[in-house]
Amino acid sequence: MEELVIRDADVVDGSGGSAYRADVVVDGGRITSIVKEAAAAGCQRPTARRELDAEGLVLAPGFIDMHAHSDLALLRDPDHSAKAAQGVTLEVLGQDGLSYAPVDDRTLGEVRRAIAGWNGPGDDVDFDWRSVGEYLDRLDRGIAVNAAYLIPQGTVRALAVGWEDRPATAAELDRMRRLVAEGLEQGAVGMSSGLTYTPGMYAEDAELTELCRVVGEYGGYYCPHHRSYGAGALAAYEEMVALTREAGCPLHLAHATMNFGVNKGRAPELLALLDEALAGGADITLDTYPYTPGSTTLAALLPSWASEGGPEEILRRLADDDTAERVRHHLEVTGSDGCHGVPVEWETIEISGVADPALAPYVGRTVQESATARGETPWTVARRLLRTDRLATAILQHVGHEENVRAIMRHRVHTGGSDGILQGAKPHPRAYGTFPHYLGHYVRELGVLSLEECVAHLTSRPAARLRLPDRGLVREGHRADLVLFDPATVAAGSTFEDPRRLPTGIPYVLVDGRFVIEDGRRTDVLAGRSVRRTPR
C-alpha cells in the first residue's frame, strides 16, 4: 500500500496553469499518482497507509529559495524553521561570491572573518571539509531542507590570488579555471560573484569571462551580485549581460533591483534591457525578495581600496586616523564602490546584528540615531562598530522603492530568493517571511500576481534554471517536495520589529515525501540532502 494520499487538495502545480482539485498519492519520496476531481467523479479513490484531508488547502511544489545564506545555519541548526516553515524545500547556497568551499586552511580563516556578519564566526561548526564535494557530502548527512551550491568566485580568487587588487597572472587564472571546473564536477550548479565585495570585485571582466566559459561548458549558470545597485546600476546589468553572452554562459541576476534615490521608478529601464537581451537569444533569469530594504554587513560599504588585503588589513587601516578619514570622505562625499557609488546616508543604515554583546544597544537603531543620541558624528559610531565588532556587524539598508519591487516581480523570468541572513538580534524579516509574504501580501492583498503565476515563480522557474527535471512541478514521478497552505490566511509572521516570527497558514511541508512541518509544527525529520548539478 502507498504511504500517503493527500485528499481533495486544490492543486496549483507550478506550471502557471489553473488550479484543479485532486487526490495526490506519495510513495518512496515521489508523487506516484494524481487523480483529478476524484470525489466528484465517483471513481475508486486511491488509498494509502495515511490519508491527509486537504480540504481548503492549496497543494503546490515546495518553494525554491534561489538566494540563501544558510551555508552554516543548515549545519548548526537542524530545526531550520526559518525556511522550512515558509514551505521552502530547496535553498541555493554559496551566494555573492563568498562561502566556505573550495578553501585551504588560510583562506577558510579569512573567509570566516570576512562574512561573519552573514553566517556568524562559525565557532560552533566543525569545518571538516575543504572542497566543494566534501561540503556537499557534509550536507548529505542530513539537513532540514535540500540545498544546492554555487562556487563562490571571490573565495576562488582568495585561494588562487589572495585579497590584493590586481589582475590575476596567467598561472593564477589557470588555477581558478581548474577550481571552478572541479567544483562543477563535484556537483555545484554554477558560480556566484559578489562584485561589490572583496576580493571578487578585483576581478576584471576578462577574468570573469574566462571563468564563465568554464561554467557554461559544464551546463551551469553565473549568478552575480553585480558591481552596482545604485549610481551605476544599469551599466552594471549591461556589463553582466554582455559578459555572459560572450562566455556562452546562462545568467541569473542575484537580488535584481534598482535601489537608492537615483533609481526611484527606474525598474522599467532594467526590464527593457532584459527584454531586449532575451529577444536576442540571451538566457537570463533573476531573483528578488518582496521587501524594499536590503541587508549586508557594515564592512561591505567600505571602498575597495580600504578592503584590499583582507580583514586584518581593513582593521589596520581603520585604526589609523588619517586613513580612516580618507575612508570617511569616500563614504560620505565621493560615494564608495562598496556603497554602490552613492554617498552613504547614515539615516538609512540600521544596525541589525553584532557579534560583541557589549554593542547590543546599537541594534535596532540607525547609525544616525546612535550618533545623535551620543553627540557624535555618524562616522565615529560606524568606525567604532567596525573596529570593536571586528567587521561582524550586520545592517539593514533602507534604500529600496516599492514601485521597483512590484514591477520586477511581474517579469516573466523572475524567481523568488530571500537573501536571508539569519544572524543578528534583528535580522531582515525576509529571512523568515519571503515566501508567505509573496503569497499573502502580493497575491491575496494586492493582486500583483495571480496565485498560479506566483507559485510558478517560486517553483518551476527556479527548477528550470537549476536544470532539475524532477522538481518544481506537481507531476507523477516528480520528487514529493510539497507544501500545503491556506490561501485565505497564509502570511509572513516576521516584521522588522519581530523578525523571527514564523509564518501562518502553512500547516504541512514535505521534503522527499516526509513531513518536516506537520500541523504547523516542525518535526524532527532531516530529509534534506545536497542537490547536485545534473550532467549534460
Side-chain angles (χ1 to χ4, degrees):
M1 183 175 287
E2 307 285 56
E3 293 176 3
L4 171 68
V5 58
I6 302 169
R7 291 214 185 280
D8 294 323
D10 292 322
V11 179
V12 177
D13 66 6
S15 69
S18 298
Y20 58 86
R21 197 171 180 85
D23 293 348
V24 177
V25 182
V26 172
D27 191 62
R30 292 190 180 269
I31 299 167
T32 58
S33 178
I34 300 172
V35 182
K36 296 184 179 181
E37 297 290 346
C43 64
Q44 180 67 39
R45 304 189 70 175
T47 58
R49 294 187 185 92
R50 176 174 178 181
E51 298 186 3
L52 176 62
D53 181 3
E55 181 72 36
L57 298 179
V58 167
L59 174 66
F63 304 135
I64 298 177
D65 188 343
M66 286 296 286
H67 193 102
H69 287 284
S70 304
D71 306 47
L72 299 186
L74 273 169
L75 302 178
R76 69 157 64 95
D77 177 20
D79 180 77
H80 203 52
S81 287
K83 294 300 180 66
Q86 294 185 59
V88 171
T89 58
L90 170 60
E91 299 183 276
V92 185
L93 313 176
Q95 300 286 349
D96 295 330
L98 289 167
S99 190
Y100 306 95
V103 292
D104 56 16
D105 291 349
R106 171 189 62 82
T107 307
L108 175 60
E110 293 167 344
V111 170
R112 285 177 61 180
R113 289 193 297 276
I115 55 175
W118 295 355
N119 300 307
D123 296 336
D124 52 351
V125 173
D126 179 10
F127 289 87
D128 59 351
W129 68 86
R130 292 296 179 269
S131 71
V132 169
E134 289 168 348
Y135 176 69
L136 296 178
D137 289 344
R138 174 69 179 275
L139 298 178
D140 283 340
R141 298 179 197 174
I143 48 180
V145 302
N146 297 309
Y149 189 75
L150 294 165
I151 301 163
Q153 171 260 329
T155 301
V156 166
R157 196 173 211 273
L159 186 57
V161 180
W163 297 73
E164 293 77 35
D165 183 3
R166 63 171 176 81
T169 66
E172 290 165 342
L173 182 55
D174 282 343
R175 187 182 180 199
M176 285 190 282
R177 286 195 198 96
R178 289 195 302 273
L179 289 167
V180 171
E182 288 168 3
L184 290 160
E185 289 168 356
Q186 292 164 11
V189 295
M191 181 180 75
S192 74
S193 283
L195 300 179
T196 64
Y197 301 131
T198 57
M201 69 191 314
Y202 299 140
E204 298 177 350
D205 282 4
E207 178 181 316
L208 295 172
T209 300
E210 288 303 306
L211 299 183
C212 283
R213 289 189 201 281
V214 178
V215 176
E217 289 167 2
Y218 277 87
Y221 68 92
Y222 181 43
C223 179
H225 164 130
H226 50 275
R227 297 191 194 274
S228 176
Y229 291 81
L234 280 177
Y237 283 114
E238 290 173 349
E239 175 190 11
M240 295 298 100
V241 170
L243 185 155
T244 50
R245 292 204 70 176
E246 180 179 348
C249 180
L251 172 64
H252 180 85
L253 295 164
H255 38 60
T257 189
M258 301 283 285
N259 286 337
F260 303 91
V262 295
N263 288 318
K264 184 176 175 62
R266 296 186 68 191
E269 297 175 56
L270 166 61
L271 300 180
L273 166 67
L274 298 181
D275 285 337
E276 181 180 357
L278 289 163
D283 184 354
I284 302 173
T285 51
L286 58 87
D287 66 68
T288 71
Y289 47 84
Y291 298 87
T292 53
S295 179
T296 186
T297 61
L298 186 60
L301 306 184
L302 298 174
S304 56
W305 63 263
S307 301
E308 185 179 3
E312 294 306 318
E313 285 300 304
I314 297 173
L315 291 168
R316 184 186 63 77
R317 292 184 182 104
L318 290 170
D320 179 78
D321 289 343
D322 290 341
T323 307
E325 173 57 23
R326 284 183 61 209
V327 173
R328 182 204 67 78
H329 184 81
H330 274 253
L331 279 169
E332 296 184 348
V333 180
T334 306
S336 82
D337 46 6
C339 197
H340 306 274
V342 178
V344 68
E345 297 174 330
W346 294 114
E347 66 273 17
T348 69
I349 307 300
E350 177 184 351
I351 305 303
S352 60
V354 292
D356 186 342
L359 300 173
Y362 291 95
V363 175
R365 290 183 165 191
T366 68
V367 172
Q368 183 64 62
E369 287 170 342
S370 289
T372 299
R374 293 169 177 268
E376 298 175 333
T377 67
W379 172 239
T380 299
V381 170
R383 182 186 178 194
R384 179 186 302 122
L385 285 165
L386 288 162
R387 295 183 63 196
T388 306
D389 213 25
R390 295 190 61 79
L391 312 180
T393 303
I395 62 170
L396 303 183
Q397 287 181 281
H398 296 273
V399 294
H401 308 286
E402 180 66 18
E403 64 268 42
N404 287 347
V405 170
R406 295 189 193 187
I408 294 169
M409 75 169 64
R410 292 189 186 103
H411 198 272
R412 65 187 186 279
V413 300
H414 169 265
T415 68
S418 71
D419 196 12
I421 294 174
L422 301 171
Q423 287 297 119
K426 293 190 72 176
H428 198 303
R430 69 192 185 194
Y432 286 74
T434 285
F435 295 88
H437 197 51
Y438 269 120
L439 297 168
H441 186 58
Y442 286 95
V443 172
R444 184 180 63 247
E445 295 175 1
L446 299 180
V448 174
L449 296 169
S450 71
L451 178 60
E452 290 86 352
E453 185 180 10
C454 184
V455 169
H457 286 224
L458 307 181
T459 58
S460 64
R461 288 187 188 176
R465 167 51 74 216
L466 294 167
R467 298 178 62 238
L468 302 176
D470 60 353
R471 299 178 195 264
L473 292 166
V474 179
R475 290 282 191 275
E476 291 181 358
H478 276 53
R479 293 276 185 180
D481 293 346
L482 301 167
V483 55
L484 286 128
F485 62 90
D486 182 348
T489 64
V490 63
S494 59
T495 64
F496 287 98
E497 293 72 31
D498 190 2
R500 285 196 168 88
R501 283 179 58 196
L502 297 180
T504 57
I506 305 179
Y508 300 101
V509 181
L510 295 88
V511 173
D512 201 34
R514 301 169 65 191
F515 286 94
V516 296
I517 299 292
E518 188 169 8
D519 296 323
R521 293 186 296 274
R522 178 72 173 92
T523 70
D524 61 0
V525 168
L526 296 176
R529 297 293 186 270
S530 69
V531 174
R532 307 193 187 210
R533 182 186 60 85
T534 303
R536 275 184 158 175

